[in-house]
Amino acid sequence: MNTQLPIYPEPYWRDPNPFQSYFRLKGDSQTDVVVIGAGIAGITTAYLLSKEGKKVILLDAGKVGNGTTGHTTAKITAQHDVIYDELIQHFGSAKAEDYYQANMKAKKFIEDTIQQLAIDCDFKQEDAYLYTIEDANMEKLEKEAKAYETLGIKGAYVDKLPLDLGQKAGLIMPNQAQFHPLRYLRSLLDQFIASGGQVFENTTVVDVEEGQSPAVITRDQHRIHCKQVVICSHFPCYDKGGYFARLHADRSYVLAIKPEKSYPGGMYLSIDNPATRSLREVTIHGEQYVLVGGQSHKTGKGVCTMEHYEILEKFAKDTLGIKEYPYRWSAQDLITLDKVPYIGRLTAKHENIFVATGFRKWGMSHSTVSALLITDLIMERDNPYEALYDPSRFQADPSLRTLIVENLDVAGSLVAGKVGLTFKEPADLNPDEGAIVMVGGEKCGAYRDVDGALHVVDATCTHLGCEVEWNHGDRTWDCPCHGSRYSTDGEVIEGPAEKPLAPVTVESGEQ
Ligand SMILES: Cc1cc2nc3c(=O)[nH]c(=O)nc-3n(C[C@H](O)[C@H](O)[C@H](O)COP(=O)(O)OP(=O)(O)OC[C@H]3O[C@@H](n4cnc5c(N)ncnc54)[C@H](O)[C@@H]3O)c2cc1C
């Protein structure tokens, strides 16, 4: 029985991986729609479009369901942290209500689809709770409760939670849900393929040729001609809308534990920052486990990432006790300037290129909102939520303020990467240690593995030239600017970067 932190991260959802393998694209092709990215947004969109009779090709740079979707906690809810008070302030009550309705309809769509296709994916209705352990955040919760009242959202301010989390207060949104996201998506993908859809893995899109009949171009220089392109690549892999300045990546950590105390049900999220905490139950081999998540921070920023797991482990021990500790993993999601996703036409000028991104860690429902919305746009039908999610919208407040802060941060990382001091040489590294080091007068990323072998790469992110930072929790190089992530040998694990970090040779005397 494992009561120690597992050495390497692995999400429960992919053990075993419910998907089969798919071939790499090996030639040019033609279709109605190309969907880029086989996470929950891409698979749901491909499934819906094929149901409408469209010929669809779904491409993924890596493996199906191995992006953020394979590393989620999979709560399906319209309770997206505290958001409704802020939405009322920035967008008005009508749009705030649209946001709620869009997500509740998405939840209903997932539920209905599971029933219709008889999908075995541990779908379960659960009440969702926000809570705080800090006096200072009581007012935020009260305002959110007031916003629920204003918008007619079912919910209530509560003192007690089914699970005692030391809360000062809580806010319930009843009848939300949770599931196994990859088992659900496997069924959608099977339906998609059965109706003539094609899937290709290890097929990275590097460009899109615009026009009446756009073409998607892959790294192997294959072209797929089509009528529409839908970009569901998490960070948009074809950035013609200035998305690099309008999105930032935020990371969180998750543990799966077998608790000593019985878990009473419910999905919980603390609104306290930086001590965010998320809990939900999961059934593994017929037994009750709990996913404990939190420790959100901007990607590539902050302390040694292993510390985040250790802090969550302590929280889990104190709250529930730990009998067993089979999985840990971490992932990141993208956040827009005004916290509302970008779903729709890439820019107002792009009639036939669509994007879905910026789900702010609420992509189970929002990816479904995006699949329904983009399908309507492609089928030339009205959708009531088009204006709310339009990527070309402009909200003067708070966008401008946040834009400046985000850009300062990005600029800071670009500049710091070039002028900052380094303290280590490759020879200083202990087994299982990574750091920025100096090799031949250049700053490089170096990792010495547990067997003592040194892996050295150029530390400049191949996306826009920021300096990557060592993520010890996952043994990866992470870019603080837009969230690209690389393996210790520089291979791209997560975009927007498309090219690997160049390997650097170190003379044997320097090792
Ligand atoms: C720790 C954590 C917990 C979360 N918990 C919840 C939760 O409880 N509830 C909830 O609603 N949401 C949650 N989320 C958010 C949710 O998981 C994400 O919003 C969602 O999975 C994003 O799905 P996606 O399809 O947009 O992206 P992804 O799943 O990342 O899929 C994008 C795909 O595109 C591919 N790709 C990238 N670039 C290219 C390219 N150039 N060419 C081809 N393919 C490419 C990638 O390989 C990837 O497979 C959580 C997020 C995190 C980080």
Side-chain angles (χ1 to χ4, degrees):
M1 200 166 280
N2 182 14
T3 53
Q4 301 294 312
L5 273 167
I7 294 190
Y8 292 107
E10 184 188 18
Y12 157 63
W13 314 120
R14 293 185 65 80
D15 182 26
N17 176 10
F19 297 103
Q20 63 177 82
S21 292
Y22 299 94
F23 292 116
R24 172 195 292 259
L25 183 73
K26 294 237 173 76
D28 293 355
S29 193
Q30 185 132 23
T31 190
D32 290 336
V33 187
V34 175
V35 177
I36 307 170
I40 186 166
I43 295 175
T44 314
T45 307
Y47 164 76
L48 282 177
L49 286 168
S50 70
K51 270 184 75 176
E52 298 280 356
K54 294 281 180 191
K55 270 177 73 186
V56 181
I57 292 181
L58 175 63
L59 303 175
D60 201 283
K63 293 276 170 201
V64 168
N66 196 26
T68 305
T69 302
H71 297 77
T72 184
T73 45
K75 298 172 181 172
I76 310 164
T77 176
Q79 188 180 61
H80 293 179
D81 203 335
V82 278
I83 187 72
Y84 290 102
D85 179 53
E86 193 172 328
L87 289 178
I88 292 171
Q89 306 304 323
H90 297 143
F91 291 82
S93 295
K95 288 238 172 82
E97 201 182 327
D98 280 352
Y99 182 105
Y100 172 69
Q101 293 298 348
N103 283 282
M104 287 306 285
K105 279 190 199 164
K107 181 197 162 242
K108 172 95 172 56
F109 171 89
I110 294 173
E111 202 173 336
D112 291 349
T113 306
I114 289 169
Q115 267 185 10
Q116 281 158 19
L117 302 179
I119 305 176
D120 175 10
C121 62
D122 293 342
F123 179 88
K124 197 171 168 207
Q125 301 282 352
E126 286 280 5
D127 295 338
Y129 297 88
L130 296 177
Y131 73 94
T132 179
I133 59 165
E134 291 174 15
D135 286 328
N137 283 332
M138 300 275 285
E139 195 187 338
K140 219 166 34 162
L141 215 52
E142 280 160 19
K143 282 190 178 162
E144 190 70 355
K146 189 102 190 63
Y148 280 24
E149 255 177 69
T150 308
L151 300 175
I153 296 176
K154 278 189 204 138
Y157 193 76
V158 292
D159 299 328
K160 289 210 169 108
L161 302 177
L163 176 66
D164 184 2
L165 292 160
Q167 71 283 349
K168 302 278 179 192
L171 180 60
I172 181 174
M173 188 182 279
N175 294 323
Q176 305 301 297
Q178 61 184 37
F179 68 162
H180 188 309
L182 299 193
R183 285 199 214 139
Y184 166 75
L185 290 172
R186 166 72 202 244
S187 280
L188 264 56
L189 201 63
D190 286 349
Q191 291 290 320
F192 167 68
I193 292 166
S195 57
Q198 290 179 278
V199 188
F200 296 97
E201 291 185 326
N202 300 312
T203 302
T204 305
V205 172
V206 291
D207 204 1
V208 176
E209 258 171 29
E210 298 184 16
Q212 280 287 93
S213 307
V216 166
I217 305 178
T218 70
R219 183 181 282 161
D220 296 341
Q221 293 305 307
H222 298 312
R223 276 181 153 61
I224 310 178
H225 293 277
C226 57
K227 295 178 189 143
Q228 284 102 3
V229 180
V230 186
I231 302 171
C232 298
S233 54
H234 206 225
F235 193 97
C237 59
Y238 179 66
D239 185 359
K240 278 292 145 85
Y243 288 86
F244 71 92
R246 300 198 282 149
L247 287 166
H248 78 268
D250 203 80
R251 226 171 160 72
S252 301
Y253 300 78
V254 185
L255 319 176
I257 59 138
K258 189 172 187 182
E260 274 170 356
K261 293 182 199 159
S262 163
Y263 184 83
M267 307 188 299
Y268 305 89
L269 181 72
S270 77
I271 64 164
D272 305 323
N273 211 327
T276 47
R277 296 288 176 263
S278 159
L279 296 104
R280 63 156 276 195
E281 188 184 347
V282 69
T283 305
I284 303 180
H285 306 308
E287 295 202 53
Q288 188 187 51
Y289 285 72
V290 179
L291 301 186
V292 179
Q295 289 296 112
S296 305
H297 66 87
K298 254 191 101 177
T299 300
K301 289 269 153 211
V303 299
C304 162
T305 49
M306 208 59 206
E307 276 183 34
H308 295 294
Y309 289 110
E310 287 160 6
I311 292 168
L312 285 182
E313 182 187 15
K314 179 166 181 342
F315 168 79
K317 265 190 191 141
D318 294 347
T319 313
L320 294 160
I322 300 180
K323 263 196 205 159
E324 200 191 339
Y325 194 165
Y327 302 96
R328 72 173 175 91
W329 67 89
S330 81
Q332 65 199 24
D333 211 10
L334 298 163
I335 304 182
T336 68
L337 296 176
D338 55 21
K339 300 189 183 164
V340 174
Y342 298 136
I343 304 169
R345 293 189 168 80
L346 188 64
T347 72
K349 289 190 194 140
H350 288 91
E351 274 301 311
N352 50 10
I353 304 179
F354 303 87
V355 70
T357 188
F359 298 147
R360 195 179 141 255
K361 298 187 190 163
W362 299 110
M364 298 298 107
S365 57
H366 259 140
S367 59
T368 308
V369 171
S370 69
L372 292 163
L373 201 166
I374 290 173
T375 300
D376 279 346
L377 294 179
I378 288 177
M379 299 310 293
E380 298 182 10
R381 294 191 294 249
D382 288 339
N383 183 291
Y385 310 116
E386 185 179 345
L388 170 65
Y389 293 106
D390 185 355
S392 306
R393 68 181 177 269
F394 181 72
Q395 295 288 324
D397 181 24
S399 302
L400 266 181
R401 222 175 32 229
T402 321
L403 177 65
I404 291 161
V405 173
E406 294 305 335
N407 278 352
L408 277 179
D409 214 11
V410 170
S413 293
L414 281 162
V415 174
K418 305 297 168 212
V419 303
L421 293 172
T422 53
F423 304 104
K424 293 217 175 207
E425 301 274 328
D428 298 335
L429 294 177
N430 292 313
D432 198 24
E433 184 182 359
I436 295 290
V437 297
M438 203 63 109
V439 178
E442 296 290 333
K443 286 169 82 173
C444 299
Y447 171 66
R448 189 179 300 285
D449 65 28
V450 284
D451 299 322
L454 199 61
H455 306 252
V456 188
V457 291
D458 187 329
T460 307
C461 178
T462 59
H463 177 224
L464 289 178
C466 295
E467 176 142 314
V468 295
E469 296 180 10
W470 177 241
N471 171 349
H472 190 61
D474 295 337
R475 275 65 163 183
T476 56
W477 294 104
D478 296 356
C479 179
C481 293
H482 303 103
S484 296
R485 298 180 62 230
Y486 305 87
S487 71
T488 51
D489 286 322
E491 289 303 317
V492 177
I493 295 174
E494 205 166 341
E498 285 160 1
K499 294 192 188 121
L501 299 173
V504 173
T505 309
V506 179
E507 300 301 323
S508 55
E510 288 182 277
Q511 296 199 14

